Amino acid sequence: MIRNMEGDLVQVLWWDTLECPNGWHEKEDIKDYKPSLIESIGWIITDSGDYITLIADRATEEGDETIGRCQVIPQGCIKSINRMFIERPVA
């Protein structure tokens, strides 16, 4: 990444690879296969330069570092990353 975004809440648009079904295929049959463009939203916990690690869930209690729904996305698959902001109500 150009900038370190660890800890940021983000929207990531990334290309998900496609594996053809098992077996033999005619060349013409696979020409229209395409990867899917995926939108994921979560917090970046690792920004290595080669990949990001994104989590969708995290505990809110102070000191609790429990996380859930983790994805590791290679940089080469990422189309864009946009920071997101949460507006929290004033108590």
Side-chain angles (χ1 to χ4, degrees):
M1 295 298 327
I2 296 171
R3 58 194 180 275
N4 186 323
M5 299 181 83
E6 287 182 9
D8 289 349
L9 177 62
V10 297
Q11 172 210 44
V12 181
L13 293 177
W14 58 282
W15 293 103
D16 192 9
T17 61
L18 171 74
E19 182 175 339
C20 300
N22 281 339
W24 292 93
H25 304 275
E26 294 295 325
K27 190 176 182 180
E28 285 299 314
D29 294 341
I30 64 169
K31 282 187 174 182
D32 291 331
Y33 287 177
K34 298 176 186 169
S36 297
L37 185 60
I38 305 298
E39 174 186 41
S40 296
I41 296 174
W43 290 269
I44 294 178
I45 60 167
T46 304
D47 184 354
S48 78
D50 293 324
Y51 61 89
I52 62 167
T53 303
L54 189 71
I55 59 165
D57 303 305
R58 64 182 184 178
T60 59
E61 289 185 28
E62 190 172 331
D64 187 347
E65 294 190 0
T66 305
I67 58 173
R69 292 192 292 156
C70 171
Q71 292 179 280
V72 178
I73 305 171
Q75 289 290 346
C77 294
I78 296 173
K79 181 174 181 176
S80 66
I81 299 179
N82 300 298
R83 280 192 174 96
M84 300 182 68
F85 299 95
I86 299 174
E87 190 172 318
R88 300 198 187 272
V90 177

